[in-house]
Coordinates of all heavy atoms in Angstrom, one line a residue:
M231 N 4.1 14.5 2.8 CA 3.0 13.6 2.5 C 2.6 12.8 3.8 O 3.5 12.4 4.5 CB 3.3 12.7 1.4 CG 2.2 11.7 1.1 SD 2.3 10.7 -0.4 CE 3.9 10.2 -0.6
K232 N 1.3 12.7 4.0 CA 0.9 11.9 5.1 C 1.1 10.4 4.8 O 1.0 9.9 3.7 CB -0.6 12.1 5.3 CG -1.0 13.5 5.8 CD -2.5 13.7 6.0 CE -2.9 13.1 7.3 NZ -4.3 13.3 7.6
P233 N 1.5 9.7 5.9 CA 1.7 8.2 5.7 C 0.3 7.6 5.4 O -0.7 8.1 5.7 CB 2.2 7.8 7.1 CG 2.1 8.9 8.0 CD 1.8 10.1 7.2
P234 N 0.4 6.4 4.8 CA -0.8 5.7 4.4 C -1.6 5.3 5.7 O -1.1 5.2 6.8 CB -0.4 4.4 3.7 CG 1.1 4.4 3.9 CD 1.6 5.7 4.4
G235 N -3.0 5.3 5.5 CA -3.8 4.9 6.7 C -3.6 3.5 7.1 O -3.0 2.7 6.4
K236 N -4.1 3.2 8.3 CA -4.0 1.8 8.8 C -4.8 0.8 8.0 O -5.9 1.2 7.5 CB -4.4 1.8 10.3 CG -3.4 2.4 11.2 CD -3.6 1.9 12.6 CE -2.4 2.3 13.4 NZ -2.3 1.5 14.6
S237 N -4.4 -0.4 7.9 CA -5.1 -1.4 7.3 C -5.0 -2.7 8.1 O -4.3 -2.7 9.1 CB -4.5 -1.7 5.9 OG -5.4 -2.6 5.2
T238 N -5.7 -3.7 7.8 CA -5.6 -4.9 8.5 C -5.3 -6.0 7.5 O -5.5 -5.9 6.3 CB -6.9 -5.3 9.2 OG1 -7.9 -5.5 8.2 CG2 -7.4 -4.2 10.1
L239 N -4.7 -7.1 8.0 CA -4.4 -8.3 7.1 C -5.7 -8.8 6.4 O -5.7 -9.1 5.2 CB -3.8 -9.4 7.9 CG -2.3 -9.2 8.3 CD1 -1.8 -10.3 9.2 CD2 -1.4 -9.0 7.1
A240 N -6.8 -8.8 7.2 CA -8.1 -9.3 6.6 C -8.5 -8.4 5.5 O -9.0 -8.8 4.4 CB -9.1 -9.4 7.7
R241 N -8.4 -7.1 5.6 CA -8.8 -6.1 4.6 C -7.9 -6.2 3.4 O -8.3 -6.2 2.2 CB -8.8 -4.7 5.2 CG -9.6 -3.7 4.3 CD -9.8 -2.4 5.0 NE -8.7 -1.5 4.7 CZ -8.5 -0.4 5.3 NH1 -9.2 -0.1 6.3 NH2 -7.5 0.3 4.9
M242 N -6.5 -6.3 3.6 CA -5.6 -6.5 2.5 C -5.9 -7.8 1.8 O -5.8 -7.8 0.5 CB -4.2 -6.5 3.1 CG -3.7 -5.1 3.5 SD -2.0 -5.1 4.0 CE -2.1 -5.7 5.7
Q243 N -6.2 -8.8 2.5 CA -6.5 -10.1 1.9 C -7.7 -10.0 1.0 O -7.8 -10.5 -0.1 CB -6.6 -11.2 2.9 CG -6.8 -12.6 2.3 CD -6.9 -13.7 3.4 OE1 -7.5 -13.5 4.4 NE2 -6.3 -14.8 3.1
Q244 N -8.8 -9.4 1.5 CA -10.0 -9.3 0.8 C -9.8 -8.4 -0.5 O -10.3 -8.7 -1.5 CB -11.1 -8.6 1.7 CG -12.5 -8.6 1.0 CD -13.0 -10.0 0.7 OE1 -13.0 -10.8 1.6 NE2 -13.4 -10.2 -0.5
T245 N -9.0 -7.4 -0.3 CA -8.7 -6.5 -1.5 C -8.0 -7.3 -2.6 O -8.3 -7.2 -3.8 CB -7.9 -5.3 -1.0 OG1 -8.7 -4.5 -0.1 CG2 -7.6 -4.4 -2.2
A246 N -7.0 -8.0 -2.1 CA -6.2 -8.8 -3.1 C -7.1 -9.9 -3.8 O -7.0 -10.1 -5.0 CB -5.0 -9.5 -2.4
F247 N -7.9 -10.5 -3.0 CA -8.9 -11.5 -3.5 C -9.8 -10.9 -4.6 O -10.0 -11.4 -5.7 CB -9.7 -12.2 -2.4 CG -10.7 -13.2 -2.9 CD1 -10.3 -14.5 -3.2 CD2 -12.0 -12.8 -3.1 CE1 -11.3 -15.4 -3.7 CE2 -13.0 -13.7 -3.6 CZ -12.6 -15.0 -3.9
N248 N -10.4 -9.7 -4.2 CA -11.3 -9.0 -5.1 C -10.6 -8.6 -6.4 O -11.2 -8.7 -7.5 CB -11.9 -7.8 -4.4 CG -12.9 -8.1 -3.3 OD1 -13.3 -9.3 -3.2 ND2 -13.1 -7.2 -2.5
E249 N -9.4 -8.1 -6.3 CA -8.7 -7.7 -7.5 C -8.3 -8.9 -8.4 O -8.4 -8.8 -9.6 CB -7.4 -6.9 -7.1 CG -6.7 -6.3 -8.3 CD -7.6 -5.2 -9.0 OE1 -8.6 -4.8 -8.5 OE2 -7.2 -4.9 -10.1
A250 N -7.9 -10.0 -7.8 CA -7.6 -11.2 -8.6 C -8.9 -11.7 -9.3 O -8.8 -12.0 -10.5 CB -7.1 -12.3 -7.7
E251 N -10.0 -11.7 -8.6 CA -11.3 -12.1 -9.2 C -11.7 -11.1 -10.3 O -12.2 -11.5 -11.3 CB -12.3 -12.1 -8.1 CG -13.6 -12.8 -8.5 CD -14.5 -12.9 -7.3 OE1 -15.0 -11.9 -6.7 OE2 -14.8 -14.1 -7.0
R252 N -11.5 -9.8 -10.1 CA -11.9 -8.8 -11.1 C -11.1 -9.0 -12.4 O -11.6 -9.0 -13.5 CB -11.6 -7.4 -10.6 CG -12.1 -6.3 -11.5 CD -11.5 -4.9 -11.2 NE -10.0 -4.9 -11.3 CZ -9.4 -4.8 -12.5 NH1 -10.0 -4.8 -13.6 NH2 -8.1 -4.7 -12.5
I253 N -9.8 -9.3 -12.2 CA -8.9 -9.5 -13.4 C -9.4 -10.7 -14.1 O -9.5 -10.7 -15.4 CB -7.4 -9.6 -13.0 CG1 -7.0 -8.2 -12.5 CG2 -6.6 -10.1 -14.1 CD1 -5.6 -8.3 -11.8
E254 N -9.6 -11.8 -13.4 CA -10.0 -13.0 -14.0 C -11.4 -12.9 -14.8 O -11.5 -13.3 -15.9 CB -10.1 -14.2 -13.0 CG -10.4 -15.5 -13.6 CD -10.2 -16.6 -12.7 OE1 -9.7 -16.5 -11.6 OE2 -10.7 -17.7 -13.0
I255 N -12.3 -12.3 -14.1 CA -13.6 -12.1 -14.8 C -13.5 -11.2 -16.0 O -14.1 -11.5 -17.1 CB -14.6 -11.4 -13.8 CG1 -15.0 -12.5 -12.7 CG2 -15.9 -10.9 -14.5 CD1 -15.7 -11.9 -11.5
S256 N -12.7 -10.1 -15.9 CA -12.6 -9.2 -17.1 C -11.9 -9.8 -18.2 O -12.3 -9.7 -19.4 CB -12.0 -7.9 -16.7 OG -10.6 -8.1 -16.3
Q257 N -10.9 -10.6 -17.9 CA -10.2 -11.3 -19.0 C -11.0 -12.4 -19.7 O -11.1 -12.5 -20.9 CB -8.9 -11.9 -18.5 CG -7.8 -10.9 -18.2 CD -7.4 -10.1 -19.4 OE1 -6.9 -10.6 -20.4 NE2 -7.6 -8.7 -19.3
D258 N -11.8 -13.1 -18.8 CA -12.7 -14.2 -19.4 C -13.7 -13.5 -20.2 O -14.1 -14.1 -21.3 CB -13.3 -15.0 -18.2 CG -12.3 -15.9 -17.6 OD1 -11.2 -16.2 -18.1 OD2 -12.7 -16.5 -16.5
A259 N -14.3 -12.4 -19.8 CA -15.3 -11.7 -20.6 C -14.8 -11.2 -21.9 O -15.5 -11.3 -22.9 CB -15.9 -10.6 -19.8
R260 N -13.6 -10.7 -21.9 CA -13.0 -10.3 -23.2 C -12.8 -11.4 -24.2 O -13.0 -11.3 -25.4 CB -11.7 -9.5 -22.9 CG -11.9 -8.2 -22.3 CD -10.7 -7.4 -22.1 NE -11.0 -6.1 -21.6 CZ -10.5 -5.7 -20.4 NH1 -9.8 -6.4 -19.6 NH2 -10.8 -4.5 -20.0
V261 N -12.4 -12.6 -23.6 CA -12.2 -13.8 -24.5 C -13.5 -14.2 -25.0 O -13.7 -14.5 -26.2 CB -11.4 -14.9 -23.7 CG1 -11.5 -16.2 -24.5 CG2 -10.0 -14.5 -23.4
L262 N -14.5 -14.3 -24.1 CA -15.8 -14.7 -24.5 C -16.5 -13.8 -25.5 O -17.1 -14.3 -26.5 CB -16.7 -14.8 -23.2 CG -18.1 -15.4 -23.4 CD1 -18.0 -16.9 -23.9 CD2 -18.9 -15.3 -22.1
A263 N -16.2 -12.5 -25.4 CA -16.8 -11.6 -26.4 C -16.0 -11.5 -27.7 O -16.4 -10.8 -28.6 CB -16.8 -10.2 -25.7
G264 N -14.9 -12.2 -27.7 CA -14.1 -12.3 -29.0 C -13.2 -11.1 -29.1 O -12.5 -10.9 -30.2
L265 N -13.0 -10.3 -28.1 CA -12.1 -9.2 -28.1 C -10.6 -9.7 -28.0 O -9.7 -9.0 -28.5 CB -12.4 -8.2 -27.0 CG -13.8 -7.5 -27.1 CD1 -14.0 -6.7 -25.8 CD2 -13.9 -6.7 -28.3
L266 N -10.4 -10.8 -27.4 CA -9.1 -11.4 -27.2 C -9.2 -12.9 -27.6 O -10.2 -13.5 -27.3 CB -8.6 -11.3 -25.8 CG -8.4 -9.9 -25.2 CD1 -8.1 -10.1 -23.7 CD2 -7.3 -9.2 -25.9
K267 N -8.1 -13.4 -28.1 CA -8.1 -14.9 -28.4 C -7.8 -15.6 -27.1 O -8.3 -16.8 -26.9 CB -7.0 -15.2 -29.4 CG -7.4 -14.7 -30.8 CD -6.4 -15.1 -31.8 CE -6.8 -14.6 -33.2 NZ -6.0 -15.0 -34.3
A268 N -7.0 -15.0 -26.2 CA -6.6 -15.6 -24.9 C -6.4 -14.5 -23.9 O -6.2 -13.4 -24.3 CB -5.4 -16.5 -25.1
P269 N -6.5 -14.8 -22.6 CA -6.3 -13.7 -21.7 C -4.9 -13.1 -21.8 O -3.9 -13.8 -22.3 CB -6.4 -14.5 -20.3 CG -7.2 -15.7 -20.6 CD -6.9 -16.1 -22.0
M270 N -4.7 -11.9 -21.6 CA -3.5 -11.2 -21.7 C -2.5 -11.7 -20.7 O -2.8 -11.8 -19.5 CB -3.7 -9.7 -21.5 CG -4.6 -9.1 -22.6 SD -5.1 -7.4 -22.2 CE -3.6 -6.5 -22.0
P271 N -1.3 -12.1 -21.1 CA -0.3 -12.7 -20.2 C 0.0 -11.9 -19.0 O 0.2 -12.3 -17.8 CB 0.9 -13.0 -21.0 CG 0.4 -13.1 -22.4 CD -0.8 -12.2 -22.5
D272 N 0.2 -10.6 -19.2 CA 0.5 -9.7 -18.1 C -0.6 -9.6 -17.1 O -0.4 -9.5 -15.8 CB 0.9 -8.3 -18.5 CG -0.2 -7.5 -19.2 OD1 -1.0 -8.2 -20.0 OD2 -0.3 -6.3 -19.0
Q273 N -1.9 -9.7 -17.5 CA -3.0 -9.7 -16.6 C -3.1 -11.0 -15.9 O -3.5 -11.0 -14.7 CB -4.3 -9.4 -17.4 CG -4.4 -8.0 -17.9 CD -4.3 -6.9 -16.8 OE1 -5.2 -6.9 -16.0 NE2 -3.3 -6.1 -16.9
V274 N -2.8 -12.1 -16.5 CA -2.8 -13.4 -15.8 C -1.7 -13.4 -14.8 O -2.0 -13.9 -13.6 CB -2.6 -14.5 -16.9 CG1 -2.4 -15.9 -16.1 CG2 -3.8 -14.6 -17.8
A275 N -0.6 -12.9 -15.1 CA 0.5 -12.8 -14.1 C 0.1 -11.9 -12.9 O 0.4 -12.2 -11.7 CB 1.8 -12.2 -14.7
L276 N -0.6 -10.8 -13.2 CA -1.0 -9.9 -12.1 C -2.1 -10.6 -11.3 O -2.0 -10.5 -10.0 CB -1.6 -8.6 -12.7 CG -1.9 -7.4 -11.8 CD1 -0.6 -7.0 -11.1 CD2 -2.5 -6.3 -12.6
R277 N -3.0 -11.3 -11.9 CA -4.0 -12.1 -11.1 C -3.3 -13.1 -10.2 O -3.7 -13.3 -9.1 CB -4.9 -12.8 -12.1 CG -6.1 -13.5 -11.5 CD -6.2 -15.0 -11.6 NE -5.2 -15.7 -12.3 CZ -5.4 -16.6 -13.2 NH1 -6.6 -16.9 -13.7 NH2 -4.4 -17.3 -13.7
D278 N -2.3 -13.8 -10.8 CA -1.6 -14.8 -10.0 C -0.8 -14.1 -8.8 O -0.8 -14.7 -7.7 CB -0.6 -15.5 -10.9 CG -1.3 -16.4 -11.9 OD1 -2.5 -16.6 -11.8 OD2 -0.6 -16.8 -12.9
D279 N -0.3 -12.9 -9.0 CA 0.3 -12.2 -7.9 C -0.6 -11.9 -6.8 O -0.3 -12.0 -5.6 CB 1.0 -10.9 -8.4 CG 2.2 -11.2 -9.3 OD1 2.7 -12.3 -9.3 OD2 2.6 -10.2 -10.0
F280 N -1.8 -11.4 -7.2 CA -2.8 -11.1 -6.1 C -3.3 -12.4 -5.4 O -3.5 -12.4 -4.2 CB -4.0 -10.4 -6.7 CG -3.8 -8.9 -7.0 CD1 -3.8 -8.4 -8.2 CD2 -3.5 -8.1 -5.9 CE1 -3.5 -7.0 -8.5 CE2 -3.3 -6.7 -6.1 CZ -3.3 -6.2 -7.4
A281 N -3.4 -13.5 -6.2 CA -3.8 -14.7 -5.5 C -2.7 -15.2 -4.6 O -3.0 -15.7 -3.5 CB -4.0 -15.8 -6.6
A282 N -1.4 -15.0 -4.9 CA -0.3 -15.3 -4.1 C -0.3 -14.5 -2.8 O 0.0 -15.0 -1.7 CB 1.0 -15.1 -4.8
I283 N -0.7 -13.2 -2.9 CA -0.9 -12.4 -1.7 C -1.9 -12.9 -0.8 O -1.7 -13.0 0.4 CB -1.2 -10.9 -2.1 CG1 0.0 -10.3 -2.8 CG2 -1.6 -10.1 -0.9 CD1 -0.3 -8.9 -3.5
V284 N -3.0 -13.4 -1.3 CA -4.1 -14.0 -0.5 C -3.5 -15.2 0.2 O -3.7 -15.4 1.4 CB -5.3 -14.5 -1.4 CG1 -6.3 -15.3 -0.6 CG2 -5.9 -13.2 -2.0
R285 N -2.7 -16.1 -0.5 CA -2.1 -17.3 0.2 C -1.1 -16.9 1.2 O -1.0 -17.5 2.3 CB -1.5 -18.2 -0.9 CG -2.6 -18.9 -1.8 CD -2.0 -20.0 -2.6 NE -0.9 -19.5 -3.4 CZ -1.0 -19.0 -4.6 NH1 -2.2 -18.8 -5.2 NH2 0.1 -18.6 -5.3
L286 N -0.3 -15.8 0.9 CA 0.7 -15.4 1.9 C 0.0 -14.9 3.2 O 0.5 -15.2 4.3 CB 1.5 -14.2 1.3 CG 2.5 -13.5 2.2 CD1 3.6 -14.5 2.6 CD2 3.1 -12.3 1.5
I287 N -1.1 -14.1 3.0 CA -1.8 -13.7 4.2 C -2.4 -14.9 5.0 O -2.4 -14.9 6.2 CB -2.8 -12.6 3.9 CG1 -2.0 -11.3 3.4 CG2 -3.7 -12.2 5.1 CD1 -2.9 -10.2 2.8
D288 N -2.9 -15.9 4.3 CA -3.4 -17.1 4.9 C -2.3 -17.7 5.8 O -2.5 -18.1 6.9 CB -3.8 -18.1 3.9 CG -5.2 -17.9 3.4 OD1 -6.0 -17.2 4.0 OD2 -5.6 -18.4 2.3
A289 N -1.1 -17.8 5.2 CA 0.1 -18.4 5.9 C 0.4 -17.5 7.2 O 0.7 -18.1 8.3 CB 1.3 -18.5 5.0
I290 N 0.4 -16.2 7.0 CA 0.7 -15.3 8.2 C -0.4 -15.5 9.3 O -0.1 -15.6 10.4 CB 0.8 -13.9 7.7 CG1 2.0 -13.6 6.8 CG2 0.8 -12.9 8.9 CD1 2.0 -12.3 6.1
E291 N -1.6 -15.5 8.8 CA -2.7 -15.7 9.8 C -2.7 -17.0 10.5 O -3.2 -17.1 11.7 CB -4.1 -15.5 9.1 CG -4.4 -14.1 8.6 CD -4.8 -13.1 9.7 OE1 -4.8 -13.5 10.9 OE2 -5.0 -12.0 9.4
S292 N -2.1 -18.0 9.9 CA -2.1 -19.3 10.5 C -1.0 -19.5 11.6 O -1.0 -20.5 12.3 CB -2.0 -20.4 9.5 OG -0.8 -20.4 8.9
D293 N -0.1 -18.6 11.7 CA 1.0 -18.7 12.6 C 1.0 -17.5 13.5 O 1.4 -16.4 13.1 CB 2.3 -18.7 11.8 CG 3.6 -19.0 12.6 OD1 3.6 -18.6 13.8 OD2 4.5 -19.6 12.1
A294 N 0.6 -17.7 14.8 CA 0.5 -16.6 15.7 C 1.8 -15.9 16.0 O 1.9 -14.6 16.1 CB -0.1 -17.0 17.0
T295 N 2.9 -16.6 16.1 CA 4.2 -16.0 16.3 C 4.7 -15.2 15.2 O 5.1 -14.0 15.4 CB 5.3 -17.1 16.6 OG1 4.9 -18.0 17.6 CG2 6.6 -16.6 16.9
L296 N 4.5 -15.7 14.0 CA 4.9 -14.9 12.8 C 4.0 -13.6 12.7 O 4.5 -12.5 12.4 CB 4.7 -15.7 11.5 CG 5.0 -15.1 10.2 CD1 6.4 -14.6 10.1 CD2 4.7 -16.0 9.0
K297 N 2.7 -13.8 13.0 CA 1.8 -12.6 12.9 C 2.3 -11.5 14.0 O 2.3 -10.3 13.6 CB 0.4 -13.1 13.2 CG -0.6 -12.0 13.0 CD -2.0 -12.5 13.1 CE -3.0 -11.4 13.0 NZ -4.4 -11.9 13.2
E298 N 2.6 -12.0 15.2 CA 3.1 -11.0 16.2 C 4.4 -10.3 15.8 O 4.5 -9.1 15.9 CB 3.3 -11.7 17.5 CG 2.0 -12.1 18.2 CD 2.2 -13.1 19.4 OE1 3.3 -13.2 19.8 OE2 1.2 -13.6 19.8
Q299 N 5.3 -11.1 15.2 CA 6.6 -10.5 14.8 C 6.3 -9.5 13.6 O 6.9 -8.4 13.6 CB 7.5 -11.6 14.3 CG 8.1 -12.4 15.4 CD 9.0 -13.6 14.8 OE1 8.8 -13.9 13.7 NE2 9.8 -14.1 15.7
L300 N 5.5 -9.8 12.7 CA 5.1 -9.0 11.6 C 4.5 -7.7 12.1 O 4.8 -6.6 11.7 CB 4.2 -9.7 10.6 CG 3.8 -8.9 9.4 CD1 5.0 -8.5 8.6 CD2 2.9 -9.7 8.6
Q301 N 3.6 -7.8 13.1 CA 2.9 -6.6 13.6 C 3.9 -5.7 14.3 O 3.8 -4.5 14.2 CB 1.8 -7.0 14.6 CG 0.9 -5.9 15.0 CD 0.2 -5.2 13.8 OE1 -0.4 -5.9 13.0 NE2 0.4 -3.9 13.7
R302 N 4.8 -6.3 15.1 CA 5.9 -5.4 15.7 C 6.7 -4.7 14.7 O 7.0 -3.5 14.8 CB 6.8 -6.3 16.6 CG 6.1 -6.6 17.9 CD 7.2 -7.2 18.9 NE 7.9 -8.3 18.5 CZ 7.5 -9.6 18.6 NH1 6.4 -9.9 19.2 NH2 8.2 -10.6 18.1
R303 N 7.0 -5.4 13.6 CA 7.9 -4.8 12.6 C 7.1 -3.7 11.9 O 7.6 -2.6 11.6 CB 8.3 -5.8 11.5 CG 9.1 -5.3 10.4 CD 10.5 -4.8 10.9 NE 11.2 -4.3 9.8 CZ 11.8 -3.1 9.9 NH1 11.7 -2.3 10.9 NH2 12.5 -2.6 8.8
I304 N 5.8 -3.9 11.6 CA 5.0 -2.9 10.9 C 4.8 -1.7 11.8 O 4.9 -0.5 11.4 CB 3.6 -3.5 10.6 CG1 3.7 -4.4 9.4 CG2 2.6 -2.4 10.2 CD1 2.5 -5.3 9.1
D305 N 4.6 -1.9 13.1 CA 4.5 -0.8 14.1 C 5.8 0.0 14.1 O 5.8 1.3 14.1 CB 4.2 -1.3 15.5 CG 2.8 -1.9 15.6 OD1 2.0 -1.6 14.7 OD2 2.6 -2.6 16.6
G306 N 7.0 -0.6 14.1 CA 8.2 0.1 14.0 C 8.4 0.9 12.8 O 8.9 2.0 12.8
M307 N 8.0 0.3 11.6 CA 8.1 1.0 10.4 C 7.2 2.2 10.4 O 7.5 3.3 9.9 CB 7.8 0.1 9.2 CG 8.8 -1.0 9.0 SD 8.3 -2.2 7.8 CE 8.1 -1.2 6.3
N308 N 6.0 2.1 11.0 CA 5.0 3.2 11.0 C 5.6 4.3 11.9 O 5.5 5.5 11.5 CB 3.7 2.8 11.6 CG 2.9 1.9 10.6 OD1 3.2 2.0 9.4 ND2 2.0 1.1 11.0
Q309 N 6.3 4.0 13.0 CA 6.9 5.0 13.8 C 8.0 5.8 13.1 O 8.1 7.0 13.2 CB 7.5 4.4 15.1 CG 6.4 4.0 16.1 CD 5.6 5.1 16.6 OE1 6.1 6.2 16.8 NE2 4.3 4.9 16.7
M310 N 8.8 5.0 12.3 CA 9.8 5.7 11.5 C 9.2 6.6 10.5 O 9.7 7.7 10.2 CB 10.7 4.6 10.8 CG 11.6 3.8 11.8 SD 12.7 4.9 12.7 CE 13.7 5.5 11.4
R311 N 8.1 6.2 9.8 CA 7.5 7.1 8.8 C 6.9 8.3 9.5 O 7.1 9.4 9.0 CB 6.3 6.3 8.2 CG 6.7 5.5 7.1 CD 5.5 5.0 6.3 NE 5.8 3.7 5.7 CZ 5.4 2.5 6.1 NH1 4.6 2.5 7.2 NH2 5.7 1.4 5.6
L312 N 6.3 8.2 10.7 CA 5.8 9.3 11.4 C 6.9 10.3 11.8 O 6.8 11.5 11.7 CB 5.0 8.9 12.6 CG 3.7 8.2 12.4 CD1 3.1 7.7 13.7 CD2 2.7 9.1 11.6
L313 N 8.1 9.8 12.2 CA 9.2 10.6 12.5 C 9.7 11.3 11.3 O 10.1 12.5 11.4 CB 10.3 9.8 13.2 CG 10.0 9.3 14.6 CD1 11.1 8.3 15.1 CD2 9.9 10.4 15.6
A314 N 9.8 10.6 10.2 CA 10.3 11.2 8.9 C 9.3 12.4 8.5 O 9.8 13.4 8.1 CB 10.4 10.2 7.8
V315 N 8.0 12.2 8.6 CA 7.1 13.2 8.3 C 7.2 14.4 9.2 O 7.3 15.6 8.7 CB 5.6 12.7 8.3 CG1 4.6 13.8 8.2 CG2 5.4 11.7 7.2
A316 N 7.4 14.2 10.5 CA 7.5 15.3 11.4 C 8.8 16.0 11.2 O 8.9 17.3 11.2 CB 7.5 14.7 12.9
H317 N 9.9 15.3 10.8 CA 11.2 15.9 10.5 C 11.0 16.8 9.2 O 11.5 17.9 9.2 CB 12.2 14.9 10.3 CG 13.6 15.4 10.0 ND1 14.3 16.1 10.9 CD2 14.3 15.4 8.8 CE1 15.5 16.5 10.3 NE2 15.5 16.1 9.1
A318 N 10.4 16.3 8.2 CA 10.2 17.0 7.0 C 9.3 18.3 7.2 O 9.6 19.4 6.7 CB 9.5 16.1 5.9
E319 N 8.3 18.2 8.0 CA 7.5 19.3 8.3 C 8.3 20.4 9.1 O 8.1 21.6 8.9 CB 6.3 18.9 9.1 CG 5.2 18.1 8.3 CD 4.1 17.5 9.1 OE1 4.2 17.5 10.3 OE2 3.1 17.1 8.5
A320 N 9.1 19.9 10.0 CA 10.0 20.9 10.8 C 10.9 21.6 9.9 O 11.1 22.8 10.0 CB 10.7 20.1 11.9
I321 N 11.5 20.9 8.9 CA 12.4 21.5 8.0 C 11.7 22.5 7.1 O 12.2 23.7 6.9 CB 13.1 20.5 7.1 CG1 14.1 19.7 8.0 CG2 13.8 21.1 5.9 CD1 14.8 18.5 7.3
A322 N 10.5 22.2 6.7 CA 9.7 23.1 5.8 C 9.3 24.3 6.6 O 9.4 25.4 6.1 CB 8.5 22.4 5.3
A323 N 8.9 24.1 7.9 CA 8.6 25.3 8.7 C 9.8 26.2 9.0 O 9.6 27.4 8.9 CB 8.0 24.8 10.0
A324 N 10.9 25.6 9.2 CA 12.1 26.4 9.4 C 12.5 27.2 8.1 O 12.8 28.4 8.2 CB 13.3 25.5 9.8
A325 N 12.4 26.6 7.0 CA 12.7 27.2 5.7 C 11.7 28.4 5.5 O 12.0 29.5 5.1 CB 12.6 26.2 4.6
A326 N 10.4 28.1 5.8 CA 9.4 29.2 5.6 C 9.6 30.3 6.5 O 9.5 31.5 6.1 CB 8.0 28.6 5.8
A327 N 10.1 30.0 7.8 CA 10.3 31.1 8.7 C 11.5 32.0 8.3 O 11.5 33.2 8.4 CB 10.6 30.5 10.1
R328 N 12.5 31.4 7.7 CA 13.6 32.2 7.2 C 13.2 33.0 6.0 O 13.7 34.1 5.8 CB 14.8 31.2 6.8 CG 15.6 30.7 7.9 CD 16.9 30.1 7.5 NE 16.7 28.9 6.6 CZ 16.6 27.7 7.1 NH1 16.7 27.5 8.4 NH2 16.4 26.7 6.3
E329 N 12.3 32.6 5.2 CA 11.9 33.4 4.0 C 11.0 34.6 4.5 O 11.0 35.6 3.9 CB 11.1 32.5 3.1 CG 12.0 31.5 2.3 CD 11.2 30.6 1.5 OE1 9.9 30.8 1.3 OE2 11.8 29.6 0.9
I330 N 10.3 34.4 5.6 CA 9.4 35.4 6.0 C 10.2 36.5 6.8 O 9.9 37.7 6.6 CB 8.3 34.8 7.0 CG1 7.4 34.0 6.1 CG2 7.5 35.9 7.7 CD1 6.4 33.2 6.9
E331 N 11.2 36.2 7.5 CA 11.9 37.2 8.3 C 12.5 38.3 7.5 O 12.3 39.5 7.9 CB 13.0 36.5 9.1 CG 12.4 35.6 10.3 CD 13.5 34.9 11.0 OE1 14.7 35.1 10.8 OE2 13.2 34.1 11.9
P332 N 13.1 38.1 6.4 CA 13.6 39.3 5.7 C 12.5 40.2 5.2 O 12.7 41.4 5.2 CB 14.4 38.6 4.5 CG 14.7 37.2 4.9 CD 13.6 36.8 5.8
E333 N 11.4 39.7 4.8 CA 10.3 40.6 4.4 C 9.8 41.4 5.6 O 9.5 42.6 5.4 CB 9.1 39.7 3.9 CG 9.5 39.0 2.6 CD 8.3 38.0 2.2 OE1 7.3 38.1 2.8 OE2 8.6 37.3 1.3
E334 N 9.8 40.9 6.7 CA 9.3 41.6 7.9 C 10.3 42.7 8.2 O 9.9 43.8 8.6 CB 9.1 40.7 9.1 CG 7.9 39.8 9.0 CD 7.8 38.8 10.1 OE1 8.7 38.9 11.1 OE2 6.9 38.0 10.1
M335 N 11.6 42.5 8.0 CA 12.6 43.5 8.3 C 12.5 44.6 7.3 O 12.7 45.8 7.6 CB 14.0 42.9 8.2 CG 14.3 42.0 9.4 SD 16.0 41.4 9.2 CE 16.1 40.2 10.5
D336 N 12.2 44.4 6.0 CA 12.0 45.4 5.0 C 10.8 46.3 5.3 O 10.8 47.5 5.0 CB 11.9 44.7 3.6 CG 13.1 44.1 3.1 OD1 14.2 44.5 3.7 OD2 13.1 43.2 2.2
A337 N 9.8 45.7 5.9 CA 8.6 46.5 6.2 C 8.8 47.5 7.3 O 8.1 48.5 7.3 CB 7.4 45.5 6.6
E338 N 9.7 47.3 8.1 CA 10.0 48.2 9.2 C 10.8 49.3 8.8 O 10.9 50.3 8.5 CB 10.7 47.5 10.4 CG 9.9 46.4 11.0 CD 10.7 45.7 12.1 OE1 11.8 46.1 12.5 OE2 10.2 44.7 12.6

């Protein structure tokens, strides 16, 4: 499997904000329409988690040293993922080559 694409803190923050807002709006609409008596607790908790992600990214963005350390760590993790993918592909190629060789010998 290919590793996930690159993202940015700003994009992750915007996504978390949008999702928190979507959950809040949808729950409020269901209560207003009479479909629910109160917002669903699991959805409120999920909304709160996304809001916490927004605040976490705010904290990271406000500290240059923390942001640099985090970026170095993310870069290191991405390199490890790329190495793992390359290793898995090499193993798959070697296994495929072993399966093909006996067939070629039978054809001769």
